Amino acid sequence: MREERKILRLLDNEEIPVPDYSLIYHRVMRKVKPSPRWPFLIPVVVLIIILSLFTRTGEITNPFIDYDVLSSYYYEYPDIEVEIDGDPYAMVLDLNQDEFHQVIDGLRKGLK
Amino acid sequence: MSDEELVRKIAAGKESAFAEIFRRYRERVFSICYRYTRNYDDAQDLCQEVFIKLYRKAGSFNGRSAFYTWFYRLVVNHCLSFKRKERKPVAIPRPPPPDLELRMAIDRAISSLPPRQRMVFIMHQDGYKFREIGRLLDISEGAAKSSYHYAIRKLREELKGYL
């Protein structure tokens, strides 16, 4: 019992070092309330905006599709652009002339 | 403002409440951590971790016991689960002066105790009764008493030359 008291006295007398409590507090706060990460998200957001702009203007295309080969023939329709030598305006004019001629022919037949 | 009110505010995310609790308990927490680890750096790390735990677990305080009882239990359990990190031993260039020698002997003696005995000894030194120690550590009063006596016996052997 006497020795126990001696041990306790020995330990009671020991000095406990004093740490820098403000540093500990600062570390605790840094762990529990980490600084916002939004600055790191800026490049990601910019990339998303750029990508959405490109896809809107159609400049980004599927690399596995050959757009020269892919035409309306792909869907079993005649490729009108090929048929009219790549001039849709002429095609429209042609179509109108045909219609016009059909109407004239019809009128002529009616008058005979 | 009472501790219990402060903890409720911490749970609601009020930083100033946490700062106040930190100010009230930092010395006591560090003292327990230091006396348990016998190492300044480890005690700092433990103290920091304990307060992080308090911040995160404040919401689980239900007010059934006093705050300090709940918090003391958190500190004690955290100390018991502490695993000493590998640190490089501090080189002592010349023979240590007598007080440093005694201090080293105390460090050695307490560090040689198994974690449970060490904690029971520290808590008893802190003024806790064996019944309370048993309740805080989830052991019986008898187990707390016997841990304490084993600790004393071992310390007596280790500190033989200084008693």
Side-chain angles (χ1 to χ4, degrees):
Chain A
M1 202 61 188
R2 222 179 59 209
E3 280 178 332
E4 182 189 327
R5 251 181 266 134
K6 276 186 185 175
I7 292 170
L8 290 176
R9 206 178 315 129
L10 212 62
L11 294 173
D12 282 341
N13 289 340
E14 80 166 322
E15 266 181 38
I16 304 283
V18 180
D20 183 351
Y21 287 116
S22 62
L23 185 71
I24 295 177
Y25 182 79
H26 178 70
R27 283 189 195 150
V28 170
M29 290 320 290
R30 210 171 49 197
K31 284 263 180 181
V32 295
K33 285 196 166 179
S35 54
R37 300 202 170 177
W38 62 265
F40 301 105
L41 288 175
I42 289 175
V44 178
V45 171
V46 169
L47 191 70
I48 289 169
I49 290 169
I50 290 170
L51 281 175
S52 67
L53 283 176
F54 269 118
T55 46
R56 225 179 254 180
T57 53
E59 285 180 38
I60 288 180
T61 51
N62 191 328
F64 299 105
I65 294 173
D66 187 349
Y67 287 89
D68 289 330
V69 172
L70 185 69
S71 69
S72 50
Y73 278 120
Y74 183 79
Y75 300 104
E76 296 177 357
Y77 290 111
D79 191 338
I80 45 173
E81 275 197 33
V82 173
E83 281 187 357
I84 49 133
D85 294 331
D87 188 357
Y89 185 63
M91 184 198 77
V92 171
L93 280 179
D94 283 344
L95 282 176
N96 287 343
Q97 278 175 0
D98 282 344
E99 280 176 4
F100 179 71
H101 289 305
Q102 274 175 16
V103 172
I104 298 295
D105 286 343
L107 282 170
R108 275 181 187 156
K109 279 176 190 169
L111 287 169
K112 275 181 186 175
Chain B
M1 195 180 286
S2 74
D3 291 346
E4 286 72 18
E5 280 174 71
L6 286 172
V7 181
R8 271 190 283 277
K9 286 192 173 178
I10 295 171
K14 196 136 194 179
E15 200 182 314
S16 57
F18 180 73
E20 177 58 24
I21 283 282
F22 182 85
R23 197 190 54 75
R24 285 185 194 178
Y25 289 101
R26 60 191 185 183
E27 281 93 1
R28 267 187 268 183
V29 171
F30 183 79
S31 161
I32 297 167
C33 295
Y34 179 77
R35 283 186 292 145
Y36 184 79
T37 60
R38 315 301 303 175
N39 179 296
Y40 179 77
D41 293 330
D42 286 342
Q44 265 193 321
D45 289 350
L46 263 183
C47 180
Q48 180 187 317
E49 287 162 17
V50 160
F51 278 105
I52 290 170
K53 222 171 182 178
L54 167 68
Y55 196 98
R56 291 183 177 154
K57 287 197 160 190
S60 67
F61 174 68
N62 51 24
R64 259 185 270 158
S65 57
F67 167 73
Y68 188 60
T69 310
W70 178 81
F71 187 41
Y72 197 92
R73 194 175 197 155
L74 194 142
V75 177
V76 162
N77 285 335
H78 199 73
C79 286
L80 286 173
S81 65
F82 163 78
K83 297 272 182 292
R84 193 175 289 273
K85 288 175 196 159
E86 282 302 316
R87 292 188 195 276
K88 284 180 185 170
V90 181
I92 300 166
R94 54 185 171 200
D99 57 332
L100 184 58
E101 203 182 321
L102 171 62
R103 196 184 173 107
M104 283 167 73
I106 292 172
D107 285 352
R108 237 187 351 257
I110 294 192
S111 300
S112 71
L113 297 175
R116 171 78 60 78
Q117 283 179 25
R118 206 187 316 173
M119 189 47 81
V120 169
F121 178 76
I122 291 167
M123 289 169 84
H124 193 65
Q125 204 190 339
D126 251 6
Y128 278 85
K129 303 232 172 353
F130 290 117
R131 189 170 35 84
E132 293 167 322
I133 295 172
R135 197 164 47 83
L136 283 166
L137 293 180
D138 275 333
I139 54 173
S140 68
E141 187 181 343
K145 265 185 197 168
S146 86
S147 288
Y148 180 78
H149 289 296
Y150 275 117
I152 286 288
R153 195 191 290 177
K154 200 152 190 193
L155 289 176
R156 203 162 52 202
E157 278 167 27
E158 293 280 337
L159 299 169
K160 211 180 275 173
Y162 302 93
L163 297 173

Coordinates of all heavy atoms in Angstrom, one line a residue, chain A residues 60-96:
Chain A
I60 N -18.3 16.6 -84.1 CA -17.8 15.4 -83.6 C -18.6 14.3 -84.2 O -19.8 14.2 -84.1 CB -17.8 15.4 -82.0 CG1 -16.8 16.3 -81.5 CG2 -17.6 14.0 -81.5 CD1 -16.7 16.4 -80.0
T61 N -17.9 13.4 -84.8 CA -18.6 12.3 -85.5 C -18.1 11.0 -85.0 O -17.1 10.9 -84.4 CB -18.3 12.4 -87.1 OG1 -16.9 12.5 -87.2 CG2 -19.0 13.6 -87.7
N62 N -18.9 10.0 -85.4 CA -18.5 8.6 -84.9 C -17.3 8.1 -85.8 O -17.4 8.1 -87.0 CB -19.7 7.7 -85.1 CG -19.5 6.4 -84.5 OD1 -18.3 5.9 -84.4 ND2 -20.5 5.8 -84.0
P63 N -16.2 7.8 -85.1 CA -15.0 7.5 -85.9 C -15.2 6.1 -86.6 O -14.4 5.8 -87.5 CB -13.9 7.4 -84.9 CG -14.6 7.2 -83.6 CD -16.0 7.8 -83.7
F64 N -16.2 5.3 -86.3 CA -16.3 4.0 -86.9 C -17.3 4.0 -88.1 O -17.5 3.0 -88.7 CB -16.8 3.0 -85.8 CG -15.9 2.9 -84.7 CD1 -16.1 3.5 -83.4 CD2 -14.7 2.2 -84.8 CE1 -15.2 3.4 -82.4 CE2 -13.8 2.1 -83.8 CZ -14.0 2.7 -82.6
I65 N -17.8 5.2 -88.4 CA -18.7 5.2 -89.6 C -18.1 6.0 -90.7 O -17.6 7.1 -90.4 CB -20.1 5.9 -89.2 CG1 -20.8 5.0 -88.2 CG2 -20.9 6.1 -90.4 CD1 -22.0 5.6 -87.6
D66 N -18.0 5.5 -91.9 CA -17.5 6.2 -93.0 C -18.7 7.0 -93.6 O -19.6 6.4 -94.3 CB -16.9 5.2 -94.0 CG -16.2 6.0 -95.2 OD1 -16.4 7.2 -95.3 OD2 -15.5 5.3 -95.9
Y67 N -18.7 8.3 -93.4 CA -19.9 9.1 -93.8 C -20.0 9.2 -95.3 O -21.0 9.6 -95.8 CB -19.9 10.4 -93.1 CG -20.2 10.3 -91.6 CD1 -19.3 10.0 -90.7 CD2 -21.6 10.3 -91.2 CE1 -19.6 9.9 -89.4 CE2 -21.9 10.1 -89.9 CZ -20.9 9.9 -89.0 OH -21.3 9.7 -87.7
D68 N -18.8 9.0 -96.0 CA -18.9 9.0 -97.5 C -19.6 7.8 -98.1 O -20.3 7.9 -99.1 CB -17.5 9.1 -98.1 CG -16.8 10.4 -97.8 OD1 -17.6 11.4 -97.7 OD2 -15.6 10.4 -97.7
V69 N -19.5 6.7 -97.4 CA -20.1 5.5 -97.8 C -21.6 5.5 -97.4 O -22.5 5.1 -98.2 CB -19.4 4.2 -97.3 CG1 -20.2 3.0 -97.6 CG2 -18.0 4.2 -97.8
L70 N -21.8 5.9 -96.2 CA -23.2 5.9 -95.7 C -24.0 6.9 -96.5 O -23.7 8.1 -96.5 CB -23.1 6.3 -94.2 CG -24.5 6.2 -93.5 CD1 -24.9 4.8 -93.4 CD2 -24.4 6.9 -92.2
S71 N -25.0 6.5 -97.1 CA -25.9 7.4 -97.9 C -27.3 6.9 -97.8 O -27.5 5.9 -97.1 CB -25.4 7.5 -99.4 OG -25.7 6.2 -100.0
S72 N -28.1 7.5 -98.5 CA -29.5 7.0 -98.5 C -29.7 5.6 -99.1 O -30.6 4.9 -98.8 CB -30.4 8.0 -99.2 OG -29.9 8.2 -100.5
Y73 N -28.7 5.2 -99.9 CA -28.7 3.8 -100.4 C -28.7 2.8 -99.2 O -29.2 1.7 -99.3 CB -27.6 3.5 -101.3 CG -27.8 4.0 -102.7 CD1 -27.0 4.9 -103.3 CD2 -28.9 3.5 -103.4 CE1 -27.3 5.4 -104.6 CE2 -29.2 3.9 -104.7 CZ -28.4 4.9 -105.3 OH -28.6 5.3 -106.6
Y74 N -28.0 3.2 -98.2 CA -27.9 2.4 -97.0 C -29.3 2.0 -96.5 O -29.5 0.9 -96.0 CB -27.2 3.2 -95.9 CG -26.9 2.4 -94.7 CD1 -25.9 1.4 -94.6 CD2 -27.7 2.6 -93.5 CE1 -25.7 0.7 -93.4 CE2 -27.5 1.9 -92.4 CZ -26.5 1.0 -92.3 OH -26.3 0.3 -91.2
Y75 N -30.2 2.9 -96.7 CA -31.6 2.6 -96.2 C -32.5 2.1 -97.4 O -33.7 2.2 -97.3 CB -32.2 3.9 -95.6 CG -31.4 4.4 -94.4 CD1 -30.5 5.5 -94.5 CD2 -31.5 3.7 -93.2 CE1 -29.8 5.9 -93.5 CE2 -30.7 4.1 -92.1 CZ -29.9 5.2 -92.3 OH -29.1 5.6 -91.2
E76 N -31.9 1.7 -98.5 CA -32.6 1.1 -99.7 C -33.5 2.2 -100.4 O -34.5 1.8 -101.0 CB -33.4 -0.1 -99.3 CG -32.5 -1.2 -98.8 CD -33.2 -2.5 -98.4 OE1 -34.5 -2.4 -98.4 OE2 -32.6 -3.4 -98.1
Y77 N -33.1 3.4 -100.3 CA -33.8 4.4 -101.1 C -32.8 4.9 -102.1 O -31.6 4.9 -101.9 CB -34.2 5.6 -100.2 CG -35.3 5.3 -99.2 CD1 -35.0 5.2 -97.9 CD2 -36.6 5.1 -99.7 CE1 -36.1 4.9 -97.0 CE2 -37.6 4.8 -98.8 CZ -37.3 4.7 -97.5 OH -38.3 4.4 -96.6
P78 N -33.2 5.4 -103.3 CA -32.3 5.9 -104.3 C -31.6 7.1 -103.7 O -32.2 7.9 -103.0 CB -33.1 6.2 -105.5 CG -34.5 6.3 -105.0 CD -34.6 5.5 -103.8
D79 N -30.3 7.2 -104.1 CA -29.5 8.4 -103.6 C -29.8 9.5 -104.5 O -29.3 9.6 -105.6 CB -28.0 8.0 -103.6 CG -27.2 9.1 -102.9 OD1 -27.7 10.2 -102.7 OD2 -26.1 8.8 -102.4
I80 N -30.7 10.4 -104.2 CA -31.1 11.4 -105.1 C -30.0 12.4 -105.4 O -30.0 12.9 -106.5 CB -32.3 12.2 -104.5 CG1 -32.1 12.6 -103.1 CG2 -33.6 11.5 -104.7 CD1 -33.2 13.5 -102.5
E81 N -29.1 12.6 -104.5 CA -28.0 13.5 -104.8 C -27.1 13.0 -105.9 O -26.7 13.7 -106.8 CB -27.1 13.7 -103.5 CG -27.7 14.8 -102.6 CD -26.7 15.3 -101.6 OE1 -25.5 15.3 -101.9 OE2 -27.1 15.6 -100.5
V82 N -26.9 11.6 -105.9 CA -26.1 11.0 -107.0 C -26.9 11.1 -108.3 O -26.3 11.4 -109.4 CB -25.8 9.5 -106.7 CG1 -25.1 8.8 -107.8 CG2 -24.9 9.5 -105.4
E83 N -28.1 10.8 -108.2 CA -29.0 10.9 -109.5 C -29.0 12.2 -110.1 O -29.1 12.3 -111.4 CB -30.4 10.4 -109.1 CG -30.4 8.9 -109.0 CD -31.9 8.4 -108.8 OE1 -32.8 9.2 -108.8 OE2 -32.0 7.2 -108.8
I84 N -29.0 13.3 -109.4 CA -29.1 14.6 -110.0 C -27.7 15.3 -110.1 O -27.6 16.5 -110.1 CB -30.1 15.5 -109.3 CG1 -29.8 15.4 -107.8 CG2 -31.5 15.0 -109.6 CD1 -29.8 16.6 -107.1
D85 N -26.7 14.5 -110.0 CA -25.3 15.0 -110.1 C -25.0 16.0 -109.0 O -24.3 17.0 -109.2 CB -25.0 15.7 -111.5 CG -25.1 14.6 -112.6 OD1 -24.7 13.5 -112.2 OD2 -25.4 15.0 -113.7
G86 N -25.5 15.7 -107.9 CA -25.2 16.5 -106.7 C -25.8 17.9 -106.7 O -25.3 18.8 -106.0
D87 N -26.8 18.2 -107.5 CA -27.4 19.5 -107.6 C -28.9 19.5 -107.2 O -29.7 19.3 -108.1 CB -27.2 20.2 -108.9 CG -27.6 21.7 -108.9 OD1 -28.1 22.1 -107.8 OD2 -27.5 22.3 -110.0
P88 N -29.2 19.6 -106.0 CA -30.6 19.4 -105.5 C -31.5 20.5 -106.2 O -32.7 20.2 -106.4 CB -30.5 19.6 -104.0 CG -29.2 20.0 -103.7 CD -28.3 19.8 -104.8
Y89 N -31.0 21.7 -106.4 CA -31.8 22.8 -106.9 C -32.2 22.4 -108.4 O -33.4 22.6 -108.7 CB -31.0 24.1 -107.0 CG -31.8 25.3 -107.4 CD1 -32.9 25.7 -106.7 CD2 -31.5 25.9 -108.6 CE1 -33.6 26.8 -107.1 CE2 -32.2 27.0 -109.0 CZ -33.3 27.4 -108.2 OH -34.0 28.5 -108.7
A90 N -31.3 21.8 -109.1 CA -31.6 21.4 -110.5 C -32.7 20.3 -110.5 O -33.6 20.3 -111.3 CB -30.4 20.9 -111.2
M91 N -32.5 19.4 -109.5 CA -33.5 18.4 -109.3 C -34.9 18.9 -109.1 O -35.9 18.5 -109.7 CB -33.1 17.5 -108.2 CG -34.0 16.2 -108.0 SD -33.8 15.5 -106.4 CE -34.8 16.6 -105.5
V92 N -35.0 19.9 -108.3 CA -36.3 20.5 -107.9 C -36.8 21.1 -109.2 O -38.0 21.0 -109.5 CB -36.1 21.6 -106.8 CG1 -37.4 22.4 -106.6 CG2 -35.7 20.9 -105.5
L93 N -35.9 21.8 -109.9 CA -36.4 22.5 -111.2 C -36.9 21.4 -112.2 O -38.0 21.6 -112.8 CB -35.2 23.2 -111.9 CG -35.0 24.6 -111.3 CD1 -33.8 25.3 -112.0 CD2 -36.2 25.5 -111.3
D94 N -36.1 20.3 -112.2 CA -36.5 19.2 -113.1 C -37.9 18.6 -112.8 O -38.7 18.4 -113.6 CB -35.5 18.1 -113.1 CG -34.2 18.4 -113.9 OD1 -34.3 19.4 -114.7 OD2 -33.2 17.8 -113.7
L95 N -38.0 18.4 -111.5 CA -39.2 17.9 -111.0 C -40.4 18.8 -111.4 O -41.4 18.4 -111.9 CB -39.2 17.7 -109.5 CG -38.4 16.4 -109.0 CD1 -38.4 16.4 -107.5 CD2 -39.1 15.2 -109.5
N96 N -40.2 20.1 -111.2 CA -41.2 21.1 -111.5 C -41.5 21.1 -113.0 O -42.7 21.2 -113.4 CB -40.8 22.5 -111.1 CG -40.8 22.6 -109.5 OD1 -41.5 21.7 -108.9 ND2 -40.2 23.6 -109.0

